[in-house]
């Protein structure tokens, strides 16, 4: 189990991590979702020991990690840019840790060869051992980087946007393989990414990093079903976040007055945000101005494979997104600059009461 | 741009410039084949390799004394090798230090770079005064040697600094994360990757030291280095044997440069191959 | 006593409370200093100390054959009141200005051609290498090669006479200020061409094309775009050339027939006659001149910002 307790890291005035707590259980795949600049790389670097925190403790299986030099931590790291040793062949890259590590280096050449072979087979690089790392493709480099890390039998592997440098097809395949490889080896992976699809697809648990701390950590479906804060919901890129104030059982917001789900009893004047799922909106022809709900002007639409994402601009200028699965009988066509009524079932709303300022 | 006119004009100009750069060397090379009775000027009395033989002491009874290059050549080569080793090691260490921001790194940078800016006569003079005061004998392998390093170390330092500027730190971090100690990481990862830079630093140091004389002039004591021997002939009348020597030492420098060029081309070719691999 | 203990305790507390990040940063700094230490030590002992020695000895008492550490300004007074020595300052400055100007005038068009006009990178590199190669040959040999080139029976005179352009050879080509200037220009031109070429090669061609589309002629493009953008290169080149020319003595010794005496030559001759204190005075003056020249040149452009 990897445990971080109130870890902070500042660079000058800016703070990258601010009192972060995180637990990565043994034998699990945790993905860490964060926007760019959220400090997710800093977090990994602090766990690996390339940097130290300003405050807080890090422990792995009960032993303190902070203050220990990186090469004595037993933490594997897979870099976004792979960081392969350019002067060595694939085999030598993979064997590097076994040969030269400070503790328990493997001097027996036959053993090194055998273990390299085993791990190359595991990551699907049979027969490529003699190649120069300059002469292989991006996906293969990714596998070499993984094999190089795994052969050293780290207690945990940190992956820093490991799929970022790969093209989309390859990315999906690597996702499955990463999962399979981890399960066979039974060690924990902490996978950092900026892509919510990747995070939800990969993780047994997904942790959302925002404002220098973990906003929520839960299995993907729990996270999706019940995000605990507007921030988390925003990271999932599946909800319109609408903020306002409760008045007479409705949410008065800049985009209009919204009905709240039953069972939400909030006093008047309570500030509140709600998350409205992209796919929970039904678009109707415009209604008269005075009535409830959201009216918005159609801007543009994007096709995302089997679904279509439409963008509407509300009266206050904020964007509202609507997702329609194209399997529905009548794919919608909206007229540009036409105002539509965006209807939804209030029960789909997830409400986040906020503390009054 | 009126390039139709400008370009040919500039091309002609470049030709004249190269003539200006190489002309005297060509004149010298021609005159080095002067006959035994000819002087260090035109016309060529007769074409011969007399002065080359003279240089190697194969002419007896010449009125011109042999150039004292033999021993001084050895001294200069040894001195250049010593200087190369020390300044490259110091340069790599200092550049490695400058990868971290540390207190006082600004002034220290200027301290290092000053070594290549301060005129040779000045440090030479200072070193001579210092050794006089301390009662230390001046010699090419001691007082001259330390000044040669003062001169070449900044070059090695700057070359390595430029190399480290483009160095991807994550490769070293990858090695650390595999349990390899910092020292072993330097040996197995950093050094092989910066090796082309080290080679350049060595070439700089060697050439500069081998040719250096203004720092050596006051500090070498009675045993002269090669450039000092040549400098000694300036005040007296010169003979074509100096030209013959000039041709040979130039050939030597070019050989050195060619070896370096070959080594670099090999390393560049390897990198290119890797680059192509990335594209595929 | 109590107070001292307290403050001690506080210090230890602060030390103990040092954050891991600060500890790591401090350890890295110490490590860096350790790595830089040999270089610092070497430069301090073998460069700074000798330089201080020069300043120090310039105030020693000079007797006919020796110096003694009794402090005096005698050498300074004698140096600054002697027309010979003052002349050498003027000569040094004169040669410096002329060589600086000639390396710039001769070198700039070369840099313009290699850095800006030629767009084929291979050819660009090849030409630059051709310009730099002479730098790798022996300095003294390059100087001495001018003797058979410029001499009365040298190459230039022979060629001119054979072509029938002149009847009697030029006698003032060699062993004159002109010879020194020509020799230094040839040797130091590379250091001007290099930095300017570097800056010119970084100019975005689309800027020039845009200016041309707007109807600007070459003169205007040169003055408004090319020259300002290459200025940092000119300054760096000027610093290189200045530093080397100001400290020179060999070229003057070999090509002027003792007619040109720069400060460097004064130092060499004074050391030769064991006048260490005078040599030191000349050394200090040379240092001051170089320092002034470099700071002035650095004022022109902020090199750190431009590079």
């Amino acid at each position: 189990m990897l445990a971080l307790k109130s870890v902070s890291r500042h660079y000058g005035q800016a703070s990258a991590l601010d009192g972060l707590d995180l637990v990565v259980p043994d034998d699990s795949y945790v993905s860490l979702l964060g926007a760019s600049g959220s400090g997710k790389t800093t977090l990994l670097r602090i766990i690996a020991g390339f940097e130290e925190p300003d405050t807080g403790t890090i422990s792995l299986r009960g032993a303190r990690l902070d203050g220990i030099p990186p090469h004595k931590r037993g933490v594997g790291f897979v870099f976004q840019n792979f960081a392969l040793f350019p002067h060595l062949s694939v085999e030598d890259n993979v064997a590097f840790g076994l040969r030269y590590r400070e503790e328990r280096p493997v001097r027996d050449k036959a053993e090194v060869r055998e273990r390299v072979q085993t791990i190359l087979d595991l990551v699907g690089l049979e027969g490529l051992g003699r190649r120069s790392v300059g002469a292989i493709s991006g996906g293969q480099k990714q596998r070499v980087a993984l094999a190089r890390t795994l052969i050293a039998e780290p207690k945990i592997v940190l992956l820093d946007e490991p799929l970022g440098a790969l093209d989309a097809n390859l990315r999906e395949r690597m996702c499955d393989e990463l999962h399979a490889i981890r399960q066979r080896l039974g060690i924990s992976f902490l996978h950092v990414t900026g892509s919510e699809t990747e995070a939800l697809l990969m993780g047994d648990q997904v942790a959302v990093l925002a404002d220098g701390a973990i906003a929520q950590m839960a299995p993907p479906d729990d996270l999706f079903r019940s995000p605990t804060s507007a921030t988390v919901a925003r990271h999932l890129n599946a909800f319109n976040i609408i903020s306002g104030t409760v008045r007479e059982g409705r949410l008065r917001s800049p985009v209009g007055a919204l009905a709240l789900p039953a069972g939400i009893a909030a006093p008047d004047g309570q500030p509140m945000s709600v998350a409205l799922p992209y796919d929970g909106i039904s678009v109707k022809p415009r209604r008269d101005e005075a009535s409830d709900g959201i009216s918005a002007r159609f801007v543009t639409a994007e096709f995302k494979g089997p679904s279509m994402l439409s963008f509407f601009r509300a009266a206050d200028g904020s964007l509202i997104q609507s997702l329609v699965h194209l399997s529905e009988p009548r794919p919608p066509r909206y007229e540009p600059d036409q105002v539509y009524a965006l209807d939804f079932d209030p029960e789909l709303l997830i409400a986040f009461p906020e503390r009054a300022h | 741009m009126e390039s139709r006119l400008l370009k040919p004009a500039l091309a002609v100009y470049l030709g004249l410039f190269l003539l200006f750069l190489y002309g005297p060397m060509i004149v010298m090379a021609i005159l080095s084949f002067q006959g035994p009775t000819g002087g260090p000027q035109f016309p060529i009395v007769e074409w011969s390799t007399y002065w080359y033989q003279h240089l190697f002491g194969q002419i007896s009874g010449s009125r011109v004394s042999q150039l004292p290059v033999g021993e001084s050549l050895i001294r200069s080569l040894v001195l250049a090798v010593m200087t190369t080793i020390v300044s490259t090691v110091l340069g790599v260490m200092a550049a490695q230090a400058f990868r971290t921001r540390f207190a006082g790194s600004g002034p220290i940078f200027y301290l290092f770079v000053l070594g290549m800016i301060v005129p040779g006569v000045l440090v030479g003079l200072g070193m001579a005064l210092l050794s006089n005061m301390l009662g230390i004998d001046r010699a090419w392998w001691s007082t001259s040697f330390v000044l040669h390093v003062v001169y070449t170390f900044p070059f090695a330092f700057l070359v390595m600094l430029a190399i480290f500027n483009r160095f991807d730190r994550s490769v070293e971090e990858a090695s650390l994360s595999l349990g390899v100690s910092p020292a072993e990481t330097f040996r197995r990862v950093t050094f092989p990757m910066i090796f082309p830079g080290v080679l350049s630093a060595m070439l700089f140091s060697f050439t500069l030291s081998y040719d250096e004389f203004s720092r050596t002039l006051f500090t070498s004591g009675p045993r002269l280095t090669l450039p000092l021997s040549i400098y000694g002939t300036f005040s007296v009348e010169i003979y074509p044997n100096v030209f013959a020597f000039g041709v040979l030492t130039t050939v030597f420098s070019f050989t050195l440069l060619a070896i370096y060029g070959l080594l670099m081309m090999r390393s560049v070719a390897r990198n290119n191959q890797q680059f192509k691999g990335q594209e595929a | 006593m109590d107070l001292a203990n307290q403050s001690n305790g506080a210090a230890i507390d602060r030390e103990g409370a040092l954050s891991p990040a600060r500890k790591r940063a401090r350890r890295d700094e110490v490590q860096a200093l350790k790595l830089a230490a040999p270089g610092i030590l070497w430069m301090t002992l073998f460069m700074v100390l000798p330089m201080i020695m020069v300043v120090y000895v310039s105030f020693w008492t000079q007797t006919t054959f020796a110096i003694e550490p009794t402090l005096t300004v005698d050498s300074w007074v004698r140096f600054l009141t002697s027309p010979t020595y003052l002349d050498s300052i003027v000569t040094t400055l004169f040669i410096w200005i002329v060589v600086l100007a000639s390396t710039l005038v001769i070198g700039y068009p070369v840099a313009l051609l290699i850095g800006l006009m030629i767009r084929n990178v291979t050819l660009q590199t090849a030409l630059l290498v051709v310009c730099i190669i002479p730098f790798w040959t022996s300095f003294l040999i390059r100087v001495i090669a001018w003797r058979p080139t410029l001499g009365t029976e040298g190459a230039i005179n022979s060629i001119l006479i054979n072509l029938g352009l002149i009847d009697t050879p030029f006698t003032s080509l060699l062993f004159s200020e002109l010879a020194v200037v020509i020799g230094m220009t040839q040797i130091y031109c590379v250091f001007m061409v290099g930095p300017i070429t570097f800056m010119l090669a970084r100019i975005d061609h689309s800027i020039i094309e845009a200016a041309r589309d707007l109807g600007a002629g070459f003169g205007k493009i040169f003055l408004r775009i090319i020259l300002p953008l290459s200025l940092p290169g000119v300054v760096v080149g000027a610093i290189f050339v200045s530093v080397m020319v100001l400290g020179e003595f060999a070229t003057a010794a070999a090509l002027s027939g003792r007619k040109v005496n720069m400060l460097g030559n004064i130092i060499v001759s004074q050391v030769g006659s064991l006048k260490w204190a005078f040599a030191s005075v000349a050394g200090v003056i040379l240092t001051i001149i170089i320092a002034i020249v470099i700071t002035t040149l650095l004022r022109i452009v902020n090199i750190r910002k431009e590079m």
Side-chain angles (χ1 to χ4, degrees):
Chain A
M1 185 178 86
L2 173 79
L4 284 84
K5 275 208 191 78
S6 56
V7 167
S8 297
R9 180 77 170 110
H10 305 264
Y11 298 103
Q13 295 295 319
S15 89
L17 301 177
D18 192 8
L20 175 138
D21 295 307
L22 174 67
V23 171
V24 178
D26 282 338
D27 194 9
S28 68
Y29 202 123
V30 174
S31 48
L32 187 85
L33 174 63
S36 67
S38 63
K40 49 191 198 291
T41 298
T42 304
L43 177 63
L44 288 198
R45 293 179 59 81
I46 282 179
I47 299 171
F50 304 144
E51 284 177 42
E52 293 281 359
D54 290 319
T55 57
T57 60
I58 306 152
S59 58
L60 183 59
R61 299 185 183 165
R64 282 281 285 272
L65 276 191
D66 48 300
I68 292 179
H71 69 285
K72 292 183 175 158
R73 292 195 179 192
V75 173
F77 202 113
V78 177
F79 291 84
Q80 185 175 10
N81 65 354
F82 316 131
L84 300 181
F85 306 125
H87 56 294
L88 300 178
S89 69
V90 168
E91 259 172 0
D92 291 337
N93 260 275
V94 175
F96 191 87
L98 284 188
R99 282 187 187 141
Y100 305 127
R101 67 189 174 195
E102 198 169 63
E103 274 178 57
R104 303 176 292 107
V106 181
R107 308 230 184 264
D108 179 28
K109 279 184 186 163
E111 191 191 337
V112 171
R113 204 176 316 124
E114 197 194 307
R115 289 176 67 174
V116 167
Q117 219 45 60
T118 311
I119 207 88
L120 284 179
D121 290 351
L122 177 72
V123 299
L125 283 176
E126 318 66 358
L128 288 179
R130 296 290 158 99
R131 292 274 190 96
S132 144
V133 293
I136 57 176
S137 71
Q140 290 166 335
K141 282 183 186 165
Q142 177 63 69
R143 288 159 210 257
V144 175
L146 195 64
R148 180 178 72 176
T149 305
L150 295 177
I151 202 170
E153 293 166 347
K155 297 174 194 129
I156 182 169
V157 177
L158 312 176
L159 303 107
D160 185 9
E161 308 208 30
L163 310 178
L166 305 182
D167 55 47
N169 262 336
L170 206 54
R171 205 180 294 185
E172 270 173 37
R173 235 176 51 218
M174 277 310 289
C175 276
D176 296 342
E177 287 187 28
L178 276 177
H179 237 289
I181 290 167
R182 194 210 70 74
Q183 267 167 355
R184 279 179 62 181
L185 294 174
I187 51 179
S188 295
F189 276 23
L190 177 59
H191 174 136
V192 148
T193 175
S195 147
E196 68 285 345
T197 36
E198 199 176 303
L200 295 167
L201 180 66
M202 302 298 294
D204 303 330
Q205 304 243 21
V206 178
V208 177
L209 178 64
D211 302 322
I214 301 297
Q216 185 179 1
M217 178 158 153
D221 46 344
D222 283 2
L223 193 73
F224 211 83
R225 222 174 312 126
S226 47
T228 54
S229 68
T231 312
V232 173
R234 199 173 281 122
H235 274 82
L236 297 176
N237 197 21
F239 298 96
N240 293 297
I241 310 295
I242 301 165
S243 304
T245 317
V246 176
R247 211 164 297 284
E248 293 156 10
R250 309 179 142 264
L251 183 71
R252 308 274 165 183
S253 79
V255 300
L258 311 182
L260 288 170
I264 299 277
D268 274 8
Q270 163 79 51
M272 183 179 279
S273 292
V274 292
L276 168 60
Y278 292 166
D279 57 357
I281 295 177
S282 54
V283 180
K284 302 272 170 63
R286 115 176 255 178
R287 80 184 113 211
D288 65 76
E289 299 278 339
S291 75
D292 258 6
I294 308 169
S295 296
R297 197 176 294 277
F298 176 67
V299 181
T300 184
E302 269 174 15
F303 283 92
K304 304 179 92 179
S307 58
M308 184 180 84
L309 189 62
S310 309
F311 296 84
F312 295 86
R313 196 171 291 287
D316 69 327
S318 57
L319 270 185
I320 300 205
Q321 303 178 44
S322 151
L323 187 82
V324 176
H325 295 281
L326 295 180
S327 54
E328 280 179 27
R330 227 163 17 98
R333 286 191 66 90
Y334 309 129
E335 291 300 317
D337 272 336
Q338 193 67 47
V339 175
Y340 291 90
L342 308 181
D343 281 354
F344 52 89
D345 177 0
E347 294 307 317
L348 288 176
L349 289 182
I350 307 166
F352 312 110
E354 287 164 13
R355 237 170 290 144
H357 293 293
Chain B
M1 237 172 284
E2 296 95 55
S3 53
R4 261 170 308 154
L5 265 174
L6 202 65
K7 266 193 180 165
L10 277 173
V12 170
Y13 180 82
L14 185 71
L16 287 175
F17 177 74
L18 292 179
L19 187 66
F20 174 58
L21 277 190
Y22 286 86
M25 297 293 281
I26 296 167
V27 169
M28 189 184 73
I30 294 171
L31 281 173
S32 71
F33 294 101
Q34 178 70 285
T37 52
Q41 67 239 338
F42 289 97
I44 299 275
V45 180
E46 115 190 64
W47 294 95
S48 82
T49 55
Y50 175 85
W51 295 107
Y52 287 90
Q53 296 168 39
H54 186 278
L55 201 63
F56 290 106
Q58 285 165 336
I59 305 288
S60 52
S62 167
R63 70 199 156 83
V64 179
S65 54
Q66 204 194 332
L67 268 190
V69 289
E71 279 186 30
S72 57
L73 172 67
I74 307 278
R75 277 183 217 119
S76 273
L77 287 175
V78 173
L79 180 56
V81 169
M82 283 162 64
T83 307
T84 302
I85 293 168
V86 174
S87 64
T88 307
V89 170
L90 286 182
V92 172
M93 284 172 75
Q96 172 81 9
F98 270 75
R99 297 173 74 187
T100 315
R101 277 205 165 273
F102 59 94
S105 58
I108 290 170
F109 178 83
Y110 287 111
L111 175 74
F112 288 171
V113 173
L114 206 57
M116 60 195 265
I117 291 176
V118 178
V121 265
L122 279 178
V123 272
L125 173 64
M127 200 61 197
L129 294 170
L130 198 64
S131 52
N132 275 358
M133 195 177 76
L134 299 175
I136 299 167
D137 279 341
R138 286 172 273 162
W140 60 272
W141 50 267
S142 61
T143 39
S144 292
F145 162 64
V146 296
L147 288 190
H148 277 219
V149 175
V150 163
Y151 180 43
T152 57
F153 159 66
F155 286 91
F157 168 65
L158 288 181
V159 168
M160 294 320 298
L161 208 58
I163 296 291
F164 278 130
N165 253 338
R166 287 176 300 170
F167 191 87
D168 181 7
R169 222 175 253 273
S170 62
V171 182
E172 289 168 312
E173 288 171 345
S175 169
L176 293 176
S177 75
L178 295 172
V180 181
S181 71
E184 194 73 3
T185 296
F186 183 83
R187 185 173 153 210
R188 303 284 177 186
V189 177
T190 317
F191 190 77
M193 287 178 69
I194 61 170
F195 187 69
V198 173
L199 212 59
S200 306
M202 289 174 72
L203 178 76
F204 260 107
S205 304
F206 188 92
T207 322
L208 291 170
S209 166
Y210 178 69
D211 194 28
E212 159 57 37
F213 76 102
S214 63
R215 287 163 185 80
T216 327
L217 186 61
F218 301 149
T219 54
S220 76
R223 281 157 216 260
L224 303 182
T225 62
L226 188 60
L228 285 187
S229 301
I230 305 302
Y231 185 66
T233 65
F234 277 27
S235 46
V236 293
E237 204 183 335
I238 58 168
Y239 298 96
N241 58 349
V242 175
F243 302 157
F245 168 77
V247 169
L248 289 183
T249 187
T250 304
V251 168
F252 172 72
S253 299
F254 284 0
T255 312
L256 208 65
L257 201 63
I259 292 171
Y260 166 83
L262 281 178
L263 287 174
M264 279 313 251
M265 259 158 68
R266 265 181 53 188
S267 118
V268 167
R270 221 178 50 198
N271 282 344
N272 276 351
Q273 195 192 334
Q274 275 164 16
F275 187 68
K276 273 185 206 136
Q278 265 167 357
E279 297 287 282
Chain C
M1 186 66 199
D2 248 337
L3 206 77
N5 259 344
Q6 254 176 1
S7 67
N8 235 343
I12 287 165
D13 264 7
R14 231 179 296 134
E15 192 76 10
L18 214 59
S19 76
R22 277 299 305 152
K23 271 189 211 152
R24 169 68 70 88
R26 186 172 286 191
R27 224 193 46 216
D28 287 350
E29 272 198 35
V30 169
Q31 171 79 9
L33 267 174
K34 272 187 199 157
L35 281 169
I40 297 170
L41 198 68
W42 196 287
M43 295 312 255
T44 310
L45 284 183
F46 305 131
M47 181 183 69
V48 177
L49 206 59
M51 296 296 286
I52 292 172
M53 201 59 200
V54 174
V55 180
Y56 181 39
V57 170
S58 76
F59 293 102
W60 282 18
T61 307
Q62 177 79 56
T63 60
T64 319
F65 296 114
I67 39 169
E68 35 187 82
T70 320
L71 295 186
T72 166
V73 292
D74 271 6
S75 304
W76 279 91
V77 172
R78 288 204 19 220
F79 194 99
L80 294 174
T81 52
S82 146
T84 326
Y85 296 146
L86 289 178
D87 255 7
S88 74
I89 298 178
V90 176
T91 308
T92 306
L93 292 176
F94 174 73
I95 296 278
W96 163 62
I97 284 285
V98 174
V99 172
L100 189 60
S102 64
T103 48
L104 182 60
V105 168
I106 291 175
Y108 200 98
V110 177
L112 202 59
L113 186 71
I114 299 176
L116 199 64
M117 306 267 176
I118 294 173
R119 301 202 188 169
N120 178 333
V121 180
T122 317
L123 185 59
Q124 214 175 26
T125 318
L127 282 175
L128 206 57
V129 167
V130 168
C131 286
I132 290 171
I133 278 181
F135 169 73
W136 293 103
T137 67
S138 168
F139 167 77
L140 288 169
I141 294 302
R142 295 182 67 198
V143 173
I144 212 75
W146 278 106
R147 284 224 204 157
T149 308
L150 295 175
T152 314
E153 291 169 80
I156 291 179
N157 276 321
S158 305
I159 290 171
L160 290 178
I161 289 174
N162 281 333
L163 289 176
L165 293 174
I166 50 169
D167 295 328
T168 50
F170 290 117
T171 49
S172 57
L173 281 181
L174 189 61
F175 300 130
S176 62
E177 283 186 343
L178 180 66
V180 176
V181 168
I182 290 176
M184 286 190 180
T185 304
Q186 184 229 18
I187 288 164
Y188 299 121
C189 218
V190 193
F191 297 95
M192 193 61 101
V193 173
I196 300 176
T197 305
F198 176 75
M199 289 310 289
L200 287 174
R202 298 204 319 188
I203 294 180
D204 187 351
H205 281 280
S206 60
I207 300 176
I208 295 171
E209 257 145 47
R212 207 186 314 160
D213 289 346
L214 294 173
F218 177 73
K220 201 162 192 180
I221 292 174
F222 179 77
L223 282 179
R224 294 283 174 80
I225 301 172
I226 299 175
L227 192 62
L229 286 173
S230 66
L231 200 60
V234 174
V235 170
V236 171
I239 290 176
F240 281 151
V241 172
S242 301
V243 162
M244 287 183 281
V245 169
L246 287 169
E248 253 272 30
F249 61 91
T251 311
L255 298 182
S256 81
R258 295 183 177 242
K259 283 189 205 120
V260 174
N261 279 306
M262 300 174 67
L263 278 166
N265 300 92
I266 297 290
I267 296 176
V268 173
S269 65
Q270 294 298 318
V271 168
S273 51
L274 298 177
K275 300 270 194 282
W276 295 102
F278 286 141
S280 298
V281 172
V284 175
I285 291 173
L286 182 55
T287 311
I288 294 169
I289 292 175
I290 290 176
I292 292 173
V293 167
I294 293 180
T295 31
T296 314
L297 283 171
L298 285 176
R299 283 269 163 86
I300 299 176
V301 268
N302 185 344
I303 289 177
R304 280 197 148 187
K305 204 182 75 192
E306 301 278 354
M307 284 304 200

